[in-house]
Amino acid sequence: MILSRYERMIARRYLLPGKGEGFIFLVASISLIAVMLGVAALVIVMSVMNGFRAELFDKIVGLNGHAVVQGVGGRLPDWREVVQAARTTPGVTSAVPLIEQPLMASYNGRVEGVLVRGMRIGDIRSNATLGDKVLMGSLAGITPGSDSVAIGSRLAEALGAQVGSEISLISPQGQASPFGTVPRIVSYRVGAIFEIGIYDYDKAYVVMPIEDAQTLLLMGDVAGMVEVKTVDADRVGEILKPLGDRIGNMAVISDWRTMNAQLFEALAVERVAMFTVLSIIILVAVFNILSSLIMLVRAKTRDIAILRTMGATRGGLMRIFMVVGTTIGALGTVAGLALGFVFLFYRQAVVNFVQLVTGQNLWDPSIRYLTTLPSKTDPVEIVVIAAMALGFSFLATLYPAWKAASTDPVQVLRYE
């Protein structure tokens, strides 16, 4: 929108408060603040929702892969053939055999349910989700036959165990006796404590070499499943279809969408709902811009009539008031984006401060699933939010601008 020199001067004059126009300026300021808060709320909420999905996806996939090939009855005797078949499948980047079995862990009279995960040594040390999250100890000491394991930080806290502590794993698959099956109890030394960042994993996982897991569970040379990663998580079904045809009835393939469908669908629905609800805040702010412009037109009726008699065109007057309203929306949008980014940068400090002031635990990992408040800003969404705010602001200027342009100078100057 190109303005002439006098149009720019008048628009700039109308943006600043004149004599007796303090109330109009107050309403315009409230409109700017409302747009700022609406844009900031949208940026913060959408970034946090994106962060939730990204954190959950990265950490869940980091441990469980894009898909798992599970044997019938939880046993996969031909796991080497499955691993080889998976690795030769186009689009597959890795295939890791492992064992997962829910058991009980005991230490100093405390008992907790755990999920024992047996992996090959090379896979344990090369797993970025585990290797980068070790808080105490080292994964280097966890080797076959060393009777050393790595446990999650929440599990260590619940048991009261530390690096070097001897915990007991209790397996119901023990030896038969005249009195029934005697549970198998084996002691292991805690060699490392890790914190993945997902509460359920940190509260349950016990990682050990796959050979030790096979001995503990009396499985022999058998794996429970094969974890598979692909080049594209969204095309995992298409990529693994040839593998499913090759293994036939030997195993079942389940991808990340099947295993975590309810969780990610709930996040997607909540994300859309929050965007819709928070967009209403911007819409309400735009109505404030509309009302402030209507009051401005009423207050400047005599000025508009004089401008018309001096040769100002209807189009010029429309452009003046459209620029005034759009400028308020633009300033509010820029301020909202800045406020949103600042909040996201200090988000965890803000949460901690509110917890300190209120005395309430706002971020309980057992409820929130993640241990910290995540954030991931999508540039496309930021552009959409800014465009939506500017678009609504522009639409709000059309009626007041048309009303100003349709002012009859003869009638105004005759009666005023």
Side-chain angles (χ1 to χ4, degrees):
M1 186 182 299
I2 301 176
L3 300 181
S4 64
R5 184 176 179 182
Y6 92 90
E7 290 171 351
R8 288 197 300 271
M9 179 191 69
I10 295 174
R12 185 166 52 251
R13 173 67 184 81
Y14 284 176
L15 281 171
L16 300 175
K19 184 177 179 181
E21 298 171 357
F23 182 73
I24 298 175
F25 180 73
L26 176 63
V27 174
S29 301
I30 293 174
S31 303
L32 188 150
I33 294 173
V35 172
M36 176 187 71
L37 294 178
V39 170
L42 265 176
V43 170
I44 293 168
V45 170
M46 298 309 296
S47 297
V48 169
M49 294 298 295
N50 290 337
F52 257 108
R53 188 185 186 281
E55 285 286 315
L56 288 174
F57 180 81
D58 290 343
K59 291 176 179 179
I60 289 175
V61 168
L63 280 179
N64 299 322
H66 295 159
V68 292
V69 182
Q70 294 179 305
V72 179
R75 291 174 174 266
L76 195 62
D78 301 326
W79 60 271
R80 288 183 176 83
E81 288 80 355
V82 173
V83 169
Q84 183 61 30
R87 287 179 173 174
T88 57
T89 301
V92 173
T93 58
S94 70
V96 178
L98 53 88
I99 295 172
E100 277 193 353
Q101 183 69 35
L103 300 178
M104 301 294 292
S106 173
Y107 178 73
N108 280 350
R110 300 183 183 181
V111 179
E112 294 287 336
V114 299
L115 186 63
V116 171
R117 186 182 182 94
M119 303 172 65
R120 293 182 300 187
I121 294 301
D123 297 328
I124 293 177
R125 296 175 182 173
S126 63
N127 190 298
T129 305
L130 285 175
D132 296 341
K133 304 297 182 180
V134 175
L135 299 180
M136 291 181 285
S138 173
L139 297 177
I142 300 175
T143 57
S146 65
D147 292 335
S148 294
V149 297
I151 66 175
S153 59
R154 302 289 175 175
L155 177 60
E157 181 181 333
L159 292 175
Q162 299 178 348
V163 172
S165 301
E166 295 281 342
I167 65 172
S168 298
L169 296 181
I170 306 169
S171 172
Q173 299 175 356
Q175 296 180 343
S177 72
F179 303 99
T181 302
V182 178
R184 182 176 174 80
I185 303 177
V186 181
S187 296
Y188 294 91
R189 186 183 69 86
V190 177
I193 296 177
F194 58 83
E195 184 172 297
I196 296 172
I198 296 181
Y199 181 84
D200 288 354
Y201 290 173
D202 294 332
K203 184 69 165 55
Y205 266 115
V206 175
V207 179
M208 63 172 60
I210 191 170
E211 295 85 354
D212 291 352
Q214 290 170 338
T215 302
L216 172 64
L217 301 173
L218 304 177
M219 294 179 64
D221 188 22
V222 174
M225 63 185 73
V226 174
E227 170 194 291
V228 178
K229 291 185 179 180
T230 64
V231 293
D232 188 351
D234 294 326
R235 296 176 48 244
V236 62
E238 175 187 344
I239 293 173
L240 295 183
K241 187 177 184 304
L243 176 62
D245 297 336
R246 291 175 65 180
I247 62 178
N249 297 326
M250 187 167 43
V252 177
I253 300 178
S254 301
D255 61 40
W256 66 272
R257 292 172 298 189
T258 304
M259 295 184 289
N260 305 281
Q262 293 181 339
L263 176 61
F264 286 103
E265 286 178 5
L267 285 175
V269 171
E270 186 175 359
R271 185 166 167 269
V272 173
M274 293 300 292
F275 183 87
T276 304
V277 171
L278 292 174
S279 297
I280 297 176
I281 299 177
I282 298 180
L283 194 59
V284 171
V286 165
F287 278 108
N288 287 333
I289 295 177
L290 175 64
S291 61
S292 65
L293 285 179
I294 290 176
M295 288 189 292
L296 182 62
V297 170
R298 292 289 298 171
K300 299 295 184 181
T301 301
R302 186 178 179 85
D303 293 356
I304 294 171
I306 294 174
L307 287 172
R308 290 280 287 124
T309 59
M310 294 176 64
T313 63
R314 292 179 182 270
L317 290 173
M318 284 195 68
R319 287 193 294 271
I320 290 172
F321 285 94
M322 289 167 65
V323 166
V324 170
T326 304
T327 300
I328 295 174
L331 292 175
T333 301
V334 173
L337 292 176
L339 178 63
F341 292 145
V342 170
F343 183 93
L344 290 174
F345 185 79
Y346 294 105
R347 63 188 183 279
Q348 197 59 46
V350 172
V351 172
N352 295 337
F353 175 76
V354 174
Q355 290 181 152
L356 179 64
V357 172
T358 62
Q360 300 294 323
N361 186 6
L362 301 180
W363 198 262
D364 186 354
S366 63
I367 299 174
R368 308 296 183 185
Y369 205 63
L370 297 177
T371 56
T372 58
L373 179 65
S375 171
K376 182 180 180 181
T377 303
D378 185 352
V380 175
E381 286 184 350
I382 298 301
V383 172
V384 170
I385 292 171
M388 182 178 66
L390 292 174
F392 285 166
S393 300
F394 175 77
L395 292 176
T397 66
L398 296 181
Y399 175 73
W402 172 80
K403 195 69 176 175
S406 60
T407 300
D408 186 354
V410 176
Q411 295 294 327
V412 172
L413 294 178
R414 175 183 297 176
Y415 296 106
E416 296 189 17

